[in-house]
Amino acid sequence: MERFNELKELVNSLEADFEKFYDKENNAAGTRVRKGMQDLKNLAQEIRVEVQDKKNA
């Protein structure tokens, strides 16, 4: 569950930048959103591997 909490915290931390990018058209916020989404993708992949390893153990 710790990994799930990490995932939720990462998503929540991106909320302000999403609002700045989409509502206020702040391009710098868009860059932060893209980086955050890449981090989210990497974390999701790590969780997938962890779940698969635990399932096969």
Side-chain angles (χ1 to χ4, degrees):
M1 285 302 292
E2 184 179 323
R3 302 292 274 179
F4 181 68
N5 290 331
E6 281 182 59
L7 198 65
K8 288 194 307 187
E9 287 176 20
L10 181 55
V11 169
N12 289 334
S13 72
L14 294 172
E15 184 175 4
D17 286 325
F18 267 100
E19 289 174 0
K20 288 177 187 175
F21 180 69
Y22 284 108
D23 296 339
K24 299 176 183 174
E25 299 181 9
N26 181 329
N27 287 336
T31 301
R32 291 189 298 272
V33 166
R34 287 180 47 234
K35 183 194 180 310
M37 294 303 293
Q38 185 65 42
D39 294 342
L40 187 64
K41 176 186 169 190
N42 291 337
L43 181 57
Q45 181 62 36
E46 289 172 15
I47 293 170
R48 289 184 71 232
V49 168
E50 185 178 301
V51 168
Q52 187 69 30
D53 289 346
K54 188 168 184 165
K55 186 179 105 176
N56 291 336

